[in-house]
Amino acid sequence: MSIHVPLPVPTQSHETALPSALSGKKQTLYDRVLEHFAAVDYTLPNVNQEKAALTVDEKFWLSYECLLRYLRATNWNADVAIERLEDTLKWRREFGIYDKITAKYIEPEVRGSELFKFTFNTDDLKAKDGKGFLFGFDTHGRPAIHLSPSKLSAEESPRTIQFIIWMLEHAFDLMGPGVETLALLVDYAGNTRNPSFNLCRIMLSVIQTHYPERLGLALIAHLPWFLNAFITLLTPFMDPHTRQKLVFNPVTNENGLFRTAADAEAWDADSSLRVFEPDQLIQEGWNGSQRFTYSHGVYWEALVKLCEKRRSRMFVVWHGMGGKVGIKEWDVKVAVRDETIDAHVDEDGALMENGQLQS
């Protein structure tokens, strides 16, 4: 039987304990960044003073883990971390993360109608469904973004960039406690042309600048030989940390997905060499056990509902914890996870809490 909806967020934590405490020096640097943004009179520099105060969404984004990601990305230079955080806060406003790039706005790009609105070719329009989607989680609990370059526009398109950023933002909604990075699965099967070099360069710049330490792993399958030169040209635009996360033509078998053939051969049930279990992989292109078929009307509604519900619950929990800069994502996500465990839906759709049916 085919599946047309995203898989649920794992309720089992992939981290067994709270993040370790910071050393004295690192704690001092973190406190400095926190105090800067948590100040009662803080305003974004070089911004219209009427809009310079942080919004609720921005305070939510400025979590404990977020500040640490920027500190690590700047080699624990507090001044540079503050500058980069402020640059990203401005970029998020300008890009429209909180008000423009909504599910309703981005849906035409998912369906392909924006790219083919002048052709009136319904076959072409249908071919664009499933160019990118969220499905499954790796063995570290990282949500997986699937991209099919053969279905993406070969030209640089603002809507394509907006679509990919929307997917990134909503992958974060599906991260459980202790999970801060995502997995990117790129399937080049059926691709007969080079992607837009400028589009790839722009996306690399955006991710490395405004989403530091968010890419956990990028698995690139069925890479055709003629794209090797393209990858070589793109490599100078990647920082060393990004390059280390690229895995070309990973190996899949009945046990799941592995980085290399050697890992697949050496794997046993007690090892940590497996990247994805079979039941977290789609069948097409990745040889998983999930017979996933992209059906836009079903998938899109389910994904948006899942993400909106989780984000709404996280906001409620965050507000209950004080609704301020520096609250730990770990604490918020643990509370949401525990709610999910305590309240679930039975086969008939009746809400149950602690084993008791609720009307």
Side-chain angles (χ1 to χ4, degrees), residues 106-356:
I106 213 69
E107 186 178 12
E109 176 64 20
V110 186
R111 293 179 61 86
S113 57
E114 186 69 17
L115 297 175
F116 288 92
K117 63 183 178 181
F118 298 116
T119 69
F120 302 99
N121 187 327
T122 55
D123 289 335
D124 282 344
L125 180 60
K126 184 177 179 182
K128 290 297 163 180
D129 279 358
K131 67 177 69 176
F133 54 88
L134 281 155
F135 188 91
F137 300 82
D138 74 3
T139 51
H140 292 281
R142 295 181 287 216
I145 295 180
H146 290 254
L147 290 177
S148 298
S150 63
K151 298 178 182 179
L152 287 168
S153 170
E155 303 300 324
E156 179 191 343
S157 163
R159 293 299 287 263
T160 299
I161 295 170
Q162 291 165 344
F163 164 63
I164 295 173
I165 294 300
W166 188 92
M167 295 290 287
L168 288 174
E169 290 287 327
H170 287 74
F172 304 148
D173 292 337
L174 303 183
M175 292 178 179
V179 181
E180 296 184 48
T181 59
L182 58 87
L184 182 63
L185 279 67
V186 184
D187 184 8
Y188 271 95
N191 194 73
T192 58
R193 53 176 167 75
N194 283 330
S196 165
F197 181 81
N198 201 39
L199 172 64
C200 292
R201 184 182 60 80
I202 291 171
M203 285 308 308
L204 265 175
S205 176
V206 168
I207 291 171
Q208 291 176 165
T209 303
H210 300 300
Y211 294 93
E213 303 208 357
R214 282 304 213 174
L215 178 64
L217 191 65
L219 302 165
I220 304 165
H222 308 117
L223 185 70
W225 64 268
F226 62 82
L227 282 179
N228 288 330
F230 178 85
I231 298 297
T232 300
L233 288 172
L234 202 58
T235 300
F237 295 95
M238 301 180 193
D239 64 41
H241 296 293
T242 300
R243 286 199 294 271
Q244 291 174 3
K245 295 169 183 176
L246 301 182
V247 178
F248 294 100
N249 296 320
V251 174
T252 56
N253 60 26
E254 68 277 6
N255 296 317
L257 185 148
F258 302 84
R259 293 169 182 261
T260 65
D263 284 353
E265 275 188 38
W267 180 82
D268 61 43
D270 296 322
S271 77
S272 58
L273 296 173
R274 182 165 59 184
V275 181
F276 275 87
E277 297 178 3
D279 64 356
Q280 294 293 323
L281 284 172
I282 64 173
Q283 196 173 76
E284 183 180 356
W286 297 96
N287 298 327
S289 63
Q290 293 288 355
R291 296 178 60 189
F292 175 79
T293 302
Y294 187 87
S295 176
H296 180 76
V298 178
Y299 175 85
W300 186 251
E301 181 181 356
L303 175 66
V304 171
K305 183 177 180 180
L306 174 63
C307 292
E308 288 182 349
K309 182 178 180 181
R310 279 187 59 81
R311 177 163 283 260
S312 175
R313 289 307 307 151
M314 286 191 284
F315 255 103
V316 169
V317 171
W318 176 77
H319 274 291
M321 293 178 176
K324 59 186 179 181
V325 173
I327 289 178
K328 291 182 178 179
E329 294 171 16
W330 169 275
D331 293 335
V332 172
K333 292 175 180 179
V334 165
V336 172
R337 180 200 64 193
D338 291 347
E339 284 181 359
T340 304
I341 293 173
D342 291 341
H344 62 278
V345 181
D346 70 3
E347 292 181 353
D348 297 323
L351 182 65
M352 299 183 67
E353 292 187 6
N354 300 319
Q356 299 297 315

Side-chain angles (χ1 to χ4, degrees), residues 49-93:
Q49 285 305 298
E50 292 182 1
K51 299 180 179 179
L54 293 176
T55 67
V56 172
D57 288 304
E58 289 167 341
K59 291 178 181 179
F60 178 79
W61 180 76
L62 286 166
S63 65
Y64 170 82
E65 288 86 347
C66 176
L67 303 187
L68 288 182
R69 286 192 288 270
Y70 277 77
L71 276 165
R72 290 193 297 266
T74 57
N75 198 26
W76 293 90
N77 185 318
D79 290 333
V80 177
I82 288 170
E83 182 179 350
R84 283 192 58 180
L85 279 159
E86 290 179 336
D87 286 344
T88 295
L89 284 164
K90 294 173 189 175
W91 174 83
R92 291 174 71 83
R93 288 187 179 189

